[in-house]
């Protein structure tokens, strides 16, 4: 008899649950019509079902989070391994570097007699050098000043471009965001088209203009096209257009001039975007190669990035050391403005 009663209570609880999920009229009335034991069984089964559902969701969320974390760690490791190899191999002796990596260069088309060939043996990739030495750095910084001059050439080319482009982009972006008229929208759309074009396409016009202005083979042939680039204008315009119009209207009612609105309202609200663009532009132009190769024929005026793209066998050790030194400014500026970079990219509106 007890089993029969227990089965009857479970049947009533099941019918109540089905009624709750299938009927829309007076579910409370139906529950109150059940016996006390049936109601207790119903609520107990509901609590068990909800707890099981929450447990499943938690397990599913944990699995997805762990999978995403694993993928992120794997991708980060792929990106960081070359950096660690470059930095640690810069402390190897020249003989060890040639013995480990010479087989890679011998198989390339520039070294093989009949074009690129297969490697004769597997290259040795050592993370920790057998003999630690700073000979590469002493040669790079003291015994051969040519590379140090190229390092300063990179600084002299990058800093004016970044500073000039940020000034131009702030002024132009405010104009595009503040005065949205038809002719300005057409001009802004032409900026987008120019930004979407491959960079190599614009090298020929830049070369012709620099030649006509007699600035070819000077740093101005690199700086001027970089200052008036469209990338920063496009991104900063999209950011400034998100500024609430109430801020500008309030400043106008207080008697602020256009310059005061620009300097006291627009620029402070776009501080994160400006810092983020500064970091991105610095890294981009710090690693430029095509512009110096085309517009600077004098080797002494070319930046260190050109040397790093023309590594040869006798200078492999110096190349590792130069690459390590070359990474210092981008890493420093990234660590300095990491918070601004993340917030400037992630924010989609003004709080």
């Amino acid at each position: 008899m007890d089993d029969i009663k227990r089965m009857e209570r479970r049947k009533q609880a099941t019918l109540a649950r089905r009624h709750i999920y299938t009927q829309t009229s007076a579910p409370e009335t139906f529950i109150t019509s059940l016996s006390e034991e049936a109601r207790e069984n119903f609520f107990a089964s509901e609590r068990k079902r909800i707890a099981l559902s929450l447990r499943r969701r938690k397990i599913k969320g944990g699995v997805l989070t762990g999978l995403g974390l694993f993928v992120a760690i794997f991708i980060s490791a792929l990106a960081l391994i070359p950096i660690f190899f470059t930095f640690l191999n810069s402390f190897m002796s020249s003989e060890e570097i040639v013995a480990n990596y010479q087989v890679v260069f011998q198989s390339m088309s520039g070294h093989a007699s009949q074009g690129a060939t297969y490697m004769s043996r597997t290259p040795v990739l050592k993370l920790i050098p057998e003999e630690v030495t700073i000979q590469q750095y002493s040669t790079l910084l003291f015994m051969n000043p040519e590379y140090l001059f190229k390092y300063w050439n990179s600084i002299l080319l990058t800093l004016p471009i970044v500073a000039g482009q940020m000034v131009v982009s702030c002024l132009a972006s405010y104009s595009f965001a503040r005065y949205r008229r038809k002719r300005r929208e057409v001009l802004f759309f032409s900026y987008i088209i120019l930004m979407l074009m491959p960079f190599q396409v614009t090298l020929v016009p830049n070369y012709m203009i620099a030649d006509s202005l007699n600035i070819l083979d000077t740093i101005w042939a690199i700086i001027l096209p970089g200052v008036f680039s469209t990338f920063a204008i496009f991104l900063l315009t999209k950011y400034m257009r998100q500024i609430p119009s109430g801020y500008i209207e309030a400043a106008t009612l207080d008697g602020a001039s256009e310059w005061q609105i620009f300097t006291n309202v627009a620029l402070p609200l776009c501080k994160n975007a400006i810092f983020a663009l500064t970091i991105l532009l610095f890294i981009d132009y710090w690693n430029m190669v095509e512009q110096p190769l085309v517009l600077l024929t004098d080797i002494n005026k070319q930046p260190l990035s050109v040397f790093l793209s023309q590594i040869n066998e006798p200078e492999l050790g110096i190349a590792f050391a130069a690459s390590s030194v070359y990474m210092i400014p981008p890493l420093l500026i990234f660590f300095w403005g990491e918070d601004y970079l993340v917030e400037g990219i992630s924010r989609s509106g003004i709080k």
Side-chain angles (χ1 to χ4, degrees):
M1 294 295 295
D2 294 337
D3 295 337
I4 296 175
K5 291 182 179 179
R6 191 179 301 109
M7 292 175 62
E8 185 66 26
R9 288 195 297 267
R10 290 180 179 177
K11 183 178 179 180
Q12 291 181 0
T14 304
L15 291 175
R17 186 162 51 251
R18 289 179 180 177
H19 181 85
I20 293 297
Y21 295 137
T22 58
Q23 304 294 328
T24 57
S25 58
E28 296 85 357
T29 305
F30 181 81
I31 294 176
T32 55
S33 65
L34 299 175
S35 62
E36 184 177 355
E37 293 181 352
R39 285 198 301 270
E40 291 179 358
N41 289 333
F42 170 73
F43 290 126
S45 61
E46 283 297 302
R47 286 193 295 268
K48 186 183 297 184
R49 185 186 62 82
I50 294 173
L52 182 61
S53 177
L54 292 176
R55 191 180 301 110
R56 289 177 179 175
R57 290 184 181 180
K58 185 176 181 180
I59 294 174
K60 183 179 179 181
V63 171
L64 293 177
T65 302
L67 182 61
L69 183 61
F70 174 77
V71 173
I73 293 175
F74 179 74
I75 296 175
S76 301
L78 290 180
L80 293 176
I81 285 176
I83 298 177
F84 281 109
F85 265 106
T86 301
F87 179 72
L88 294 176
N89 288 344
S90 65
F91 294 98
M92 286 185 180
S93 61
S94 300
E95 295 78 9
E96 186 178 358
I97 291 176
V98 173
N100 294 338
Y101 302 104
Q102 188 179 20
V103 63
V104 178
F105 292 90
Q106 288 177 347
S107 63
M108 294 182 179
S109 58
H111 295 264
S113 58
Q114 297 179 352
T117 59
Y118 293 103
M119 289 185 290
S120 59
R121 60 181 176 84
T122 303
V124 180
L125 301 178
K126 290 186 177 180
L127 188 61
I128 300 176
E130 295 180 358
E131 180 182 356
V132 178
T133 178
I134 59 172
Q135 179 184 359
Q136 317 296 349
Y137 288 97
S138 62
T139 303
L140 175 70
L141 300 176
F142 303 107
M143 300 178 64
N144 196 340
E146 178 185 0
Y147 305 115
L148 191 59
F149 290 151
K150 291 182 178 181
Y151 185 89
W152 288 109
N153 287 341
S154 299
I155 296 177
L156 293 176
L157 289 173
T158 304
L159 292 183
I161 290 176
V162 174
Q165 188 170 159
M166 291 310 303
V167 172
V168 172
S169 62
C170 288
L171 295 172
S173 300
Y174 179 76
S175 177
F176 283 127
R178 184 81 166 87
Y179 305 100
R180 303 184 62 175
R181 298 175 183 175
K182 186 175 181 180
R183 288 177 294 180
R184 294 179 185 268
E185 292 297 324
V186 172
L187 181 60
F188 183 70
F189 184 72
S190 65
Y191 266 60
I192 298 176
I193 295 176
L194 185 61
M195 184 185 66
L196 295 177
M197 293 177 62
F199 175 75
Q200 290 75 11
V201 175
T202 60
L203 279 177
V204 175
N206 289 340
Y207 183 90
M208 296 173 63
I209 294 174
D211 190 19
S212 62
L213 295 177
N214 295 324
I215 59 175
L216 195 62
D217 199 25
T218 64
I219 61 174
W220 296 108
I222 306 293
I223 294 176
L224 291 180
V227 167
F228 297 98
S229 181
T230 59
F231 174 71
I233 296 176
F234 170 74
L235 291 184
L236 200 56
T237 298
K238 292 297 183 180
Y239 203 93
M240 283 190 177
R241 284 180 176 177
Q242 297 173 354
I243 297 177
S245 59
Y247 292 175
I248 299 177
E249 293 175 359
T252 304
L253 292 176
D254 289 341
S257 62
E258 202 68 42
W259 178 255
Q260 290 175 332
I261 295 175
F262 171 69
T263 56
N264 298 328
V265 177
L267 290 184
L269 291 176
C270 297
K271 180 181 66 174
N272 295 323
I274 292 174
F275 277 101
L277 281 174
T278 301
I279 297 172
L280 294 176
L281 292 176
F282 182 87
I283 296 175
D284 184 24
Y285 286 99
W286 184 258
N287 298 320
M288 61 181 173
V289 176
E290 294 91 349
Q291 303 97 309
L293 284 176
V294 175
L295 302 175
L296 295 178
T297 58
D298 189 358
I299 299 178
N300 296 325
K301 297 180 181 179
Q302 292 178 348
L304 189 58
S305 56
V306 176
F307 160 73
L308 295 179
S309 65
Q310 299 173 347
I311 298 175
N312 50 47
E313 280 188 61
E315 298 174 330
L316 285 180
I318 296 178
F320 277 111
S323 300
S324 301
V325 175
Y326 193 70
M327 289 188 295
I328 294 176
L331 289 176
L332 291 178
I333 194 173
F334 174 79
F335 290 134
W336 169 72
E338 180 182 3
D339 295 336
Y340 296 108
L341 179 62
V342 173
E343 189 174 357
I345 294 176
S346 62
R347 286 184 61 184
S348 58
I350 304 297
K351 295 182 179 179

